[in-house]
């Protein structure tokens, strides 16, 4: 059913995509586009065809809840995330099998997916560039496992309430290009565009007709035929 690791990897990668607001104004709803770069290990490259992974992430948001849809061909994946409560709902539709599954993720589940990393030692480099039309400065930082990263931060835009990417709460500004690690998969997310428009409303309630699973059960289905 989910033979490759693509479904699980993409779902978790996109869960942590940020919700961003423009010109120091907190937007209540809209659509943003992120570019995705995959930094895969040799083992991961052997397990998945990187050319088949999406190069962009389209995120719609209303209030504190965002929605990401990923068309996997045989299945449609929808990820709803509450940026304030740090909870998520994953919906999987498989039309050919007439199956619909749902799995909830708690704050603890999301933290576990990211490896429970804690970020610190943020240092501005003074290096500047424009990203999606916004002025941004590069910061270097570390995690508690000894890993080193970089994040590009803009003070021209502001996050909507509760939607700060996990780990960047101490950064004075909005991350517009940052490293994300989920389930051991490393990606770089770069803001490409942002549009204020009516979308939603969204909810983390399981829709009628969906069979609720745990995340462990949903992941186990990746190897099913």
């Amino acid at each position: 059913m989910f033979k490759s690791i693509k479904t699980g990897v993409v779902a978790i990668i996109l869960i942590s995509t940020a919700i961003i607001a423009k010109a120091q104004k907190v937007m209540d709803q809209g659509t943003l586009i992120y570019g995705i770069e995959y930094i895969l290990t040799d083992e991961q490259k052997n397990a998945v065809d990187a050319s088949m992974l999406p190069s962009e992430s389209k995120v719609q948001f209303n209030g504190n809840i965002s929605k990401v849809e990923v068309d996997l061909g045989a299945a449609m994946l929808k990820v709803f995330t509450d940026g304030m409560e740090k909870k998520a709902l994953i919906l999987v539709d498989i039309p050919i099998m007439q199956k619909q599954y749902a799995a909830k993720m708690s704050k603890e589940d999301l933290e576990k997916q990211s490896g429970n990393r804690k970020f610190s030692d943020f240092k501005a480099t003074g290096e500047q560039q424009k990203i999606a039309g916004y002025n941004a400065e590069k910061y270097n930082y570390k995690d508690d496992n000894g890993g080193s990263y970089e994040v590009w931060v803009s003070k021209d835009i502001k996050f909507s309430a509760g939607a700060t990417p996990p780990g960047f709460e101490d950064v004075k500004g909005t991350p517009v290009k940052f490293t994300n690690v989920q389930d051991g998969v490393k990606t770089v997310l770069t803001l490409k565009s942002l549009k204020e428009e009516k979308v939603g409303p969204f909810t983390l309630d399981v829709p009628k007709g969906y069979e609720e699973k745990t995340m462990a059960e949903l992941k186990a289905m990746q190897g099913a035929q």
Side-chain angles (χ1 to χ4, degrees):
M1 189 181 301
F2 305 124
K3 182 111 179 197
S4 75
I5 69 168
K6 180 170 65 174
T7 302
V9 169
V10 171
I12 303 306
I13 286 172
L14 299 183
I15 284 173
S16 60
T17 303
I19 300 173
I20 296 181
K22 186 175 182 180
Q24 295 302 315
K25 171 189 173 184
V26 178
M27 291 170 53
D28 288 330
Q29 51 189 318
T31 300
L32 60 88
I33 303 294
Y34 276 105
I36 307 175
E37 178 186 359
Y38 299 87
I39 314 297
L40 303 178
T41 65
D42 289 340
E43 181 179 358
Q44 290 165 344
K45 289 178 182 178
N46 291 331
V48 64
D49 182 355
S51 66
M52 299 298 292
L53 295 173
S55 60
E56 289 187 345
S57 168
K58 178 182 177 181
V59 181
Q60 293 183 312
F61 62 95
N62 184 307
N64 292 323
I65 300 180
S66 65
K67 182 188 78 168
V68 175
E69 290 189 6
V70 183
D71 187 349
L72 300 173
M76 174 63 74
L77 184 74
K78 297 178 183 178
V79 182
F80 297 85
T81 306
D82 189 319
M84 179 70 78
E85 298 293 332
K86 308 300 182 185
K87 297 179 180 179
L89 172 69
I90 298 176
L91 301 179
V92 181
D93 290 80
I94 312 172
I96 194 171
M97 297 180 63
Q98 297 185 347
K99 294 288 187 180
Q100 295 178 307
Y101 300 104
K104 292 183 177 181
M105 296 189 74
S106 65
K107 179 180 179 180
E108 291 73 22
D109 291 331
L110 294 176
E111 290 175 347
K112 183 178 179 181
Q113 293 290 352
S114 65
N116 293 307
R117 287 177 171 82
K118 304 297 181 183
F119 300 146
S120 62
D121 200 21
F122 289 93
K123 294 182 178 179
T125 66
E127 187 175 346
Q128 306 274 340
Q129 69 169 277
K130 281 189 177 291
I131 296 178
Y134 301 108
N135 296 309
E137 181 177 10
K138 186 172 82 170
Y139 283 69
N140 293 325
Y141 66 99
K142 299 178 180 178
D143 66 21
D144 51 0
N145 292 328
S148 297
Y149 309 90
E150 63 181 48
V151 57
W152 289 83
V153 176
S154 177
K155 295 182 180 179
D156 295 342
I157 54 179
K158 185 179 180 181
F159 282 31
S160 58
T164 301
F168 295 111
E169 292 83 0
D170 294 335
V171 178
K172 294 181 179 180
T174 297
V176 291
K177 181 177 181 180
F178 57 94
T179 301
N180 184 40
V181 180
Q182 299 289 337
D183 268 357
V185 178
K186 189 175 183 180
T187 60
V188 176
L189 294 157
T190 304
L191 181 67
K192 297 179 68 175
S193 66
L194 173 64
K195 181 180 181 181
E196 184 173 14
E197 60 183 351
K198 291 184 178 181
V199 297
F202 305 128
T203 177
L204 266 62
D205 295 332
V206 176
K208 183 178 179 180
Y210 280 77
E211 180 181 349
E212 192 165 350
K213 300 281 188 180
T214 65
M215 275 305 299
E217 289 172 332
L218 198 59
K219 286 188 175 184
M221 294 170 65
Q222 294 175 35
Q225 298 293 330

